[in-house]
């Protein structure tokens, strides 16, 4: 069992910001990420551009460039340990975190834990949705951008929002065809023997070898729920999420949550939130907390601010 | 099950050039076998990516219906991509890296351990 001041689970934008904030003020910090490389969504959502840096000392720019710059920053701290390829699979009493990688298992005992576990794609069922060739937008992005392989050549996208637009851009960049889009999961049908070959949208039939579900993302707050943090369904934050204040403090002592895991947000929002959570968890001075709070306040949309404010007020006693 | 889907290895699904990601870095290639057929994979890539690059999209067949399953979430969350790897059942191929000499099999239903236990 390893003892640390602050453990951060998730090495995406929010987790990186939290880990840097915590390490900067001298707290012994561990950053845990299941992927081979730090960067989280910046590694598969490669169309993203960082505009607001959320108080983090990094040049705005394309997400991938920012991810590399941040990975470089992280490696400069002596009091920060990075565990990649490591899954945090449980959050137990006294904030003990169960971790494992390909070869071994261990436990971490931090004073505070910051959950920055990001999001999962929303997948709604429809006829044929289990056929090989039908996948989430994130699967498509991960296979194309991280693993560099095309899941298919002729695509249909289910979804009509930002995520669908983003994926369409990704697919076009990869040089494959998007032949149809449907906004409505009640009106789509996938078929084929053994794998996807056709998609019906209403009365139209398309020949396609891939169908991506791009209906949006929802917070991945499993570890907070494992620790029995209070939760609620808040559609403005993307679905089931955890009661917390603006610093990410949940109902459980020493358990913080930040970024998409605490409510789907913009890059600037999740970074500013991660930074504030990192400073809070590591016990920063009132002055730096105020500054980080102000940055977050400036960046956050009213929608997010209101959702979080309501979440916290209804939190007590729920 | 017929093995026709394995008969023509098709590496053209590999993304060699990408406008944002640039040229694909060269990697050490390793040999894997999939249902007895020898294929090449980039060292360290997930099994499912290696399969996809070789034109294989089917990972397993459901226990009762026999329906095919392949990559769905792509990130280790859904278990659709389970296969039998070096005689170990239920390996999530989208998050398990290949290594040289790995033996991968399409999993039928719950699969069978080497000792014959289900
Ligand atoms: S595709 Fe979902 S676990 Fe592998």
């Amino acid at each position: 069992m390893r003892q640390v001041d602050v453990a951060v689970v998730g090495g995406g934008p929010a987790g990186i910001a939290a880990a840097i904030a915590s390490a900067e003020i001298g707290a012994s910090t561990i950053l845990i990420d299941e992927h081979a490389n730090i960067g989280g969504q910046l590694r598969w959502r490669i169309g993203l551009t960082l505009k607001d840096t959320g108080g983090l000392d990094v040049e705005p720019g394309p997400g991938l460039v920012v991810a590399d710059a941040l990975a470089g920053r992280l490696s400069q701290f002596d009091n920060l340990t990075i565990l990649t390829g490591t899954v945090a699979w449980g959050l137990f009493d006294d904030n003990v975190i169960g971790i494992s990688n390909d070869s071994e298992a261990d436990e971490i005992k931090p004073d505070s834990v910051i959950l920055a576990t990001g999001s999962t794609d929303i997948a709604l069922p429809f006829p044929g949705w289990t056929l090989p060739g039908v996948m989430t937008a994130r699967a498509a992005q991960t296979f194309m951008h991280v693993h560099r392989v095309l899941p298919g050549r002729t695509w249909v996208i289910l979804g009509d929002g930002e995520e669908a637009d983003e994926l369409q851009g990704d697919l076009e960049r990869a040089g494959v065809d998007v032949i149809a889009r449907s906004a409505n999961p009640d009106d789509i049908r996938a078929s084929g023997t053994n794998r996807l070959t056709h998609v019906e949208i209403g009365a139209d039939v398309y020949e396609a070898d891939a169908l991506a579900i791009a209906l949006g993302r929802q917070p991945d707050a499993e570890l907070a729920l494992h620790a029995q943090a209070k939760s609620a369904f808040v559609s403005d934050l993307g679905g089931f999420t955890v009661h917390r204040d603006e610093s990410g403090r949940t109902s459980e002592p020493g358990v913080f949550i930040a970024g998409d895991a605490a409510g789907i947000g913009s890059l600037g929002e999740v970074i500013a939130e991660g930074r504030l959570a990192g400073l809070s968890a590591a016990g920063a001075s009132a002055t730096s907390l105020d500054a980080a709070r102000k940055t977050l306040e400036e960046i956050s949309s009213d929608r997010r601010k209101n959702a979080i404010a309501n979440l916290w007020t209804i939190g007590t006693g729920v | 099950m017929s093995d026709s889907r394995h008969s023509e290895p098709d590496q053209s699904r590999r993304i060699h050039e990408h406008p944002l990601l640039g040229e694909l870095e060269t990697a050490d290639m390793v040999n894997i076998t999939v249902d007895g057929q020898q294929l090449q994979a980039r060292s360290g890539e997930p099994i499912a990516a290696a399969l996809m690059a070789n034109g294989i999209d089917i990972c397993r067949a459901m226990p009762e219906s026999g329906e095919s399953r392949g990559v769905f979430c792509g990130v280790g969350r859904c278990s659709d991509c389970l296969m039998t790897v070096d005689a170990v059942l239920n390996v999530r191929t989208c998050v398990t890296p290949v290594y040289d000499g790995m033996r991968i099999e399409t999993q039928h239903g719950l699969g069978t351990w080497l000792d014959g236990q289900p």
Side-chain angles (χ1 to χ4, degrees):
Chain A
M1 176 130 75
R2 299 197 210 185
Q3 304 263 352
V4 279
D5 295 332
V6 175
V8 180
V9 184
I16 291 173
I20 289 177
S22 163
E24 259 174 8
I25 58 168
S28 62
T29 307
I30 282 190
L31 176 61
I32 303 156
D33 193 274
E34 66 181 318
H35 299 98
N37 289 306
I38 288 294
Q41 58 176 308
L42 300 175
R43 300 265 175 218
W44 59 86
R45 300 181 65 201
I46 61 169
L48 293 184
T49 301
L50 183 70
K51 298 186 196 84
D52 291 315
T53 57
L56 198 58
D57 180 19
V58 66
E59 283 290 313
L64 276 172
V65 178
V66 172
D68 287 338
L70 290 174
R73 277 292 299 290
L74 286 167
S75 64
Q76 287 165 9
F77 294 98
D78 293 336
N79 55 334
L80 173 64
T81 306
I82 302 172
L83 302 178
T84 49
T86 303
V87 175
W89 55 267
L91 180 53
F92 302 95
D93 288 350
D94 302 320
N95 301 337
V96 170
I97 307 168
I99 59 167
S100 62
N101 63 16
D102 279 350
S103 54
E104 53 189 3
D106 200 356
E107 287 176 339
I108 294 175
K109 166 76 190 80
D111 289 340
S112 302
V113 54
I114 301 169
L115 303 172
T117 40
S119 66
T120 51
D121 280 18
I122 294 169
L124 294 179
F126 51 86
W129 75 309
T130 55
L131 278 171
V134 181
M135 70 201 73
T136 63
R138 179 161 165 192
Q141 290 175 316
T142 301
F143 274 73
M144 287 192 297
H145 303 153
V146 182
H147 309 323
R148 299 284 295 250
V149 51
L150 287 171
R153 287 207 183 76
T154 311
W155 290 74
V156 174
I157 296 177
L158 171 59
D160 208 18
E162 281 172 34
E163 285 80 8
D165 291 345
E166 179 183 323
L167 182 67
Q168 178 147 359
D170 290 335
L171 292 168
E172 283 165 2
R173 260 196 298 267
V176 295
D177 296 324
V178 179
I179 54 168
R181 259 169 80 159
S182 166
N184 185 0
D186 294 331
D187 192 32
I188 194 164
R189 175 181 292 269
S191 60
T193 4
N194 284 331
R195 83 171 316 292
L196 177 75
T197 52
H198 292 85
V199 180
E200 287 167 55
I201 300 173
D204 299 320
V205 185
Y206 300 90
E207 264 183 51
D209 62 350
L211 166 52
I213 306 173
L215 294 166
R217 298 177 294 129
Q218 58 195 347
D220 185 349
E222 283 178 359
L223 287 174
L225 299 177
H226 187 202
Q228 299 185 330
K230 293 186 169 66
S231 63
F233 188 88
V234 185
S235 53
D236 277 348
L237 292 174
F240 271 102
T241 186
V242 171
H243 288 239
R244 46 92 174 204
D245 66 8
E246 56 173 2
S247 320
R249 228 177 280 274
T250 69
S251 61
E252 298 308 297
V255 179
F256 293 73
I257 193 163
D260 279 346
I264 305 303
S266 70
L267 272 186
E269 285 170 337
V270 302
I271 288 174
E273 241 178 52
R275 182 163 173 79
L276 180 54
L279 292 170
S280 307
S285 69
T287 330
S288 29
L289 285 173
D290 280 348
R293 217 170 258 132
K294 209 165 147 253
T295 308
L296 176 60
E297 168 87 26
E298 284 163 10
I299 284 180
S300 287
S301 65
D302 288 341
R303 196 176 138 115
R304 188 174 184 88
K305 275 186 233 171
N306 292 337
I308 293 167
N310 289 335
L311 194 53
W312 190 245
T313 26
I314 58 169
T316 39
V318 172
Chain B
M1 183 185 281
S2 133
D3 266 352
S4 59
R5 68 200 165 80
H6 291 172
S7 59
E8 278 176 48
D10 158 23
Q11 279 269 358
S12 64
R13 283 163 75 179
R14 188 70 77 184
I15 302 174
H16 293 281
E17 281 290 341
H18 189 280
L20 286 182
L21 296 164
E23 204 174 314
L24 180 63
E25 282 173 27
T26 50
D28 291 341
M29 298 305 278
V30 298
N31 291 311
I32 58 176
T33 53
V34 182
D35 295 337
Q37 186 190 4
Q38 216 180 67
L39 298 172
Q40 292 236 302
R42 289 167 62 85
S43 178
E45 74 179 335
I47 298 165
L51 264 53
M52 223 180 246
N54 283 287
I56 300 170
D57 297 300
I58 298 168
C59 298
R60 65 185 177 103
M62 291 294 283
E64 308 261 315
S65 64
E67 284 173 11
S68 302
R69 293 287 185 274
V71 167
F72 182 72
C73 74
V75 289
R77 297 288 191 278
C78 73
S79 298
D80 264 11
C81 65
L82 301 180
M83 296 180 86
T84 301
V85 177
D86 286 334
V88 177
L89 310 185
N90 302 322
V91 174
R92 289 172 307 164
T93 56
C94 69
V95 291
T96 305
V98 294
Y99 47 77
D100 198 38
M102 185 182 253
R103 302 180 67 85
I104 301 150
E105 276 153 278
T106 304
Q107 185 167 312
H108 298 277
L110 302 177
T112 315
W113 293 101
L114 280 184
D115 62 6
Q117 298 299 310

